[in-house]
Structures are given as structure tokens and as C-alpha cells.
Amino acid sequence: MKMNKKIAIVSVLVALCIFVVACGTSCGKKSDSDGTKPLQNMTPEEILYEIYKIGGYSERLSELINSDYSEGDDFTNHLVTTKIDADNCMYFFGTDEIPFESAVGSEPAINPTLLHTVCVIKLKSESFGENAVKLLRENVDPMKWVCTGLSSHDIYIGRSGDIVVLIMNRDDGEKLLDAFYTVCSRSE
């Protein structure tokens, strides 16, 4: 009987040691297996997708996010994600002085009733962050759409490390910015 108790105790201790060692290598770390990864390892496209996935937006924006788009179907109202580069950064940012590694912009393809832009920018270095936010605040054009525009109160800018988000939207701007920070907090 005493021998069975000793074997049981040793077995429990061995199992506990295995659990502790396993936890030391994986517990508390975010991995792709739980659907998240560190923000700094996400592409701007992935961050944008996660922002939109959170949902809770106005009916019109939600329709655009969830619209089915077929390649070549130019007349379907949907969101278009555009890679931002040196040739089009002035349109999106209002400046070409932001040192970014990669960036995307998302806007409606055809929708005169929804003025909406979300840009996710991965800077070349986190040290450029404050200056990038300042440059966006000073230069982004809320009247960039032909014959119409937004007020400066409809521009939202957020930052986490080397990731900056620029949002231009009257009805959903705050919700989109909150979604960005939710994505940031999930990946910490």
C-alpha cells in the first residue's frame, strides 16, 4: 500500500514537472494557433482585416465590409484595399515625408454617400512614430474627395509602436479607432 502511494505521488510530481516545463515554453505567449500574433508581426493588410472583423459599425459600412466582390465586377459597391507606395502616398497621407515600410488604404469603390478611408501604416522604425502622427495631422486632406469632404473632426489617428492608423469617417471613426486599439491589445 505504501509503495502504491509513493508511485502515485511520484507520478503526480512528474506530470506536474512536465506541465510546468511545457508552460514555460508556451504559456502566456501569443501564437498563430489561437488566432492572434504580435502586432509587429502582422502585415498592414492583416491589421486592417482584424479592425474590420471587430464590427459594430454603421449599417452602410458594414454592408461594404461584408459585400461580395468578384474580380472584374467594377460596378459592385465594395471596399477596395490599395497598397500605398511613393506614387499614391500623397493622396492618402497628404505628405510624402512619412518613412514607411509598408501601408495599405481601404476605401469604397463606388459610394458617393460614404466618405471613408482607413490607412494602416507600418513605419520603418518606431522612432518615427510621433513625427508620423504629427505629419498626418498637419497634412491629411479631409476634402480629398471630388466635390465633397469631411471636417477635421472626422479624422482619427492612432499609434502603437511602429504601426499608425489613419481613419477618415464621420459616423464610424471612433469605433474604427477603438477597434484598432482592441487589435493592439489582443496582440500584446
Side-chain angles (χ1 to χ4, degrees), residues 4 7 31 41 58 96 109 137 141 144 163 174 176 186:
N4 287 343
I7 291 173
S31 70
N41 293 343
S58 67
D96 59 3
R137 285 200 194 288
D141 183 8
K144 71 179 186 173
I163 305 296
E174 277 188 54
L176 288 160
R186 283 183 189 166

Side-chain angles (χ1 to χ4, degrees), residues 9-19:
I9 290 172
V10 169
S11 297
V12 168
L13 289 174
V14 169
L16 185 59
C17 286
I18 291 170
F19 176 77

Side-chain angles (χ1 to χ4, degrees), residues 38-52:
L39 186 69
Q40 307 318 339
N41 293 343
M42 294 173 73
T43 66
E45 293 89 346
E46 290 170 326
I47 296 168
L48 177 67
Y49 172 77
E50 291 297 321
I51 290 169
Y52 282 155

Side-chain angles (χ1 to χ4, degrees), residues 99-171:
F100 64 97
E101 182 179 301
S102 58
V104 294
S106 173
E107 297 184 312
I110 306 168
N111 194 343
T113 64
L114 181 66
L115 302 178
H116 168 82
T117 298
V118 175
C119 297
V120 179
I121 307 159
K122 183 168 182 66
L123 301 171
K124 288 185 178 179
S125 169
E126 185 175 340
S127 64
F128 298 126
E130 289 304 315
N131 193 44
V133 169
K134 181 179 180 235
L135 285 167
L136 287 170
R137 285 200 194 288
E138 293 172 353
N139 293 291
V140 71
D141 183 8
M143 298 297 292
K144 71 179 186 173
W145 296 277
V146 179
C147 300
T148 190
L150 297 168
S151 81
S152 60
H153 300 291
D154 301 321
I155 298 172
Y156 301 84
I157 301 171
R159 176 176 165 243
S160 179
D162 64 347
I163 305 296
V164 176
V165 66
L166 165 65
I167 299 161
M168 299 171 73
N169 185 303
R170 178 174 296 121
D171 298 324

